[in-house]
Amino acid sequence: SQTIHQWPATLVQPVGSPLSLECTVEGTSNPNLYWYRQAAGRGLQLLFYSVGIGQISSEVPQNLSASRPQDRQFILSSKKLLLSDSGFYLCAWTSGSDTGELFFGEGSRLTVL
Amino acid sequence: AQSVSQHNHHVILSEAASLELGCNYSYGGTVNLFWYVQYPGQHLQLLLKYFSGDPLVKGIKGFEAEFIKSKFSFNLRKPSVQWSDTAEYFCAVRKYSGGGADGLTFGKGTHLIIQP
């Protein structure tokens, strides 16, 4: 069966420090991968998605970037964190079929101080 | 750009009450529709989904939703809620474009609290 893992689960970082959140999917090949940010009262905002290695689409201008170095690995990064980057980040995957159903990881809570 | 509106941000009900959470979307073409649930401390999981066919879809834990194309709505219902239904509920829409690459557009969520 397919599984998705995110780490770290929680992270406290100072303003101006770098960020790296990792996401891996197991049990499937060539998934579509997504990074969402969840903020209280604001729902889920799509940040990035990827349909293949090295292919990244950005949905919203951010202080963040994403990379897909391997088929089942998706990384969310920042060179210098801002206070406004605090939030709950969710990685998700879909098989690329017409179902469109997303499967979510357990999330990474980032606090920028 | 398409959008998803959930009308109730916070809902408080007593156990055994009936539930209806509203969801409207703005896209006029073919869509796939979803309701996700996030229980306290847990990850998002699919409650139910609509792709085609019968507009009344049934999901897990006694939930159902009805797709009304003319109203651009996909409201979530449950005849009798339980304390364990306390959670955050998200409506989501995907434009049908084949391949499913462009992800889902989510509403802002409804925080449901069930009082025993």
Side-chain angles (χ1 to χ4, degrees):
Chain A
S1 63
Q2 300 91 355
T3 57
I4 179 169
H5 302 285
Q6 275 185 251
W7 69 94
T10 58
L11 192 60
V12 180
Q13 291 286 98
V15 168
S17 64
L19 170 73
S20 180
L21 300 179
E22 294 195 31
C23 171
T24 59
V25 180
E26 297 176 358
T28 187
S29 59
N30 197 32
N32 294 332
L33 297 171
Y34 306 83
W35 279 111
Y36 281 86
R37 178 164 58 198
Q38 183 180 5
R42 298 174 63 182
L44 280 79
Q45 181 186 36
L46 179 62
L47 302 176
F48 301 95
Y49 69 90
S50 171
V51 299
I53 296 174
Q55 301 179 61
I56 308 295
S57 296
S58 174
E59 288 294 300
V60 182
Q62 297 281 343
N63 181 43
L64 302 168
S65 61
S67 62
R68 185 169 177 175
Q70 300 180 40
D71 180 46
R72 290 170 291 170
Q73 184 183 26
F74 205 25
I75 298 172
L76 184 69
S77 305
S78 174
K79 293 183 179 178
K80 289 186 177 181
L81 285 169
L82 305 172
L83 287 173
S84 57
D85 292 324
S86 293
F88 192 54
Y89 291 85
L90 290 161
C91 183
W93 73 275
T94 187
S95 65
S97 69
D98 281 350
T99 65
E101 177 183 347
L102 285 178
F103 300 91
F104 285 89
E106 296 192 356
S108 298
R109 173 125 356 241
L110 170 66
T111 303
V112 182
L113 302 175
Chain B
Q2 62 180 347
S3 65
V4 180
S5 298
Q6 290 183 240
H7 315 299
N8 313 102
H9 297 301
H10 297 278
V11 174
I12 301 175
L13 296 173
S14 299
E15 276 192 315
S18 64
L19 169 72
E20 181 161 3
L21 301 182
C23 174
N24 287 89
Y25 61 94
S26 62
Y27 183 66
T30 302
V31 293
N32 300 146
L33 299 158
F34 306 81
W35 276 97
Y36 280 82
V37 61
Q38 188 174 33
Y39 297 104
Q42 297 188 27
H43 63 279
L44 275 163
Q45 54 187 287
L46 184 69
L47 203 53
L48 48 77
K49 58 190 176 186
Y50 170 80
F51 295 132
S52 63
D54 188 345
L56 182 64
V57 293
K58 296 190 182 299
I60 60 172
K61 303 185 180 184
F63 285 91
E64 64 179 31
E66 184 175 12
F67 170 49
I68 303 180
K69 188 174 182 179
S70 61
K71 296 184 178 180
F72 297 91
S73 70
F74 190 56
N75 292 354
L76 181 71
R77 301 194 293 248
K78 185 171 183 178
S80 176
V81 294
Q82 301 172 306
W83 177 79
S84 57
D85 292 325
T86 294
E88 188 103 23
Y89 293 81
F90 294 93
C91 181
V93 172
R94 181 176 77 94
K95 290 187 300 182
Y96 184 80
S97 58
D102 48 354
L104 305 184
T105 300
F106 284 83
K108 293 184 177 182
T110 297
H111 188 200
L112 175 65
I113 297 174
I114 306 300
Q115 296 176 329

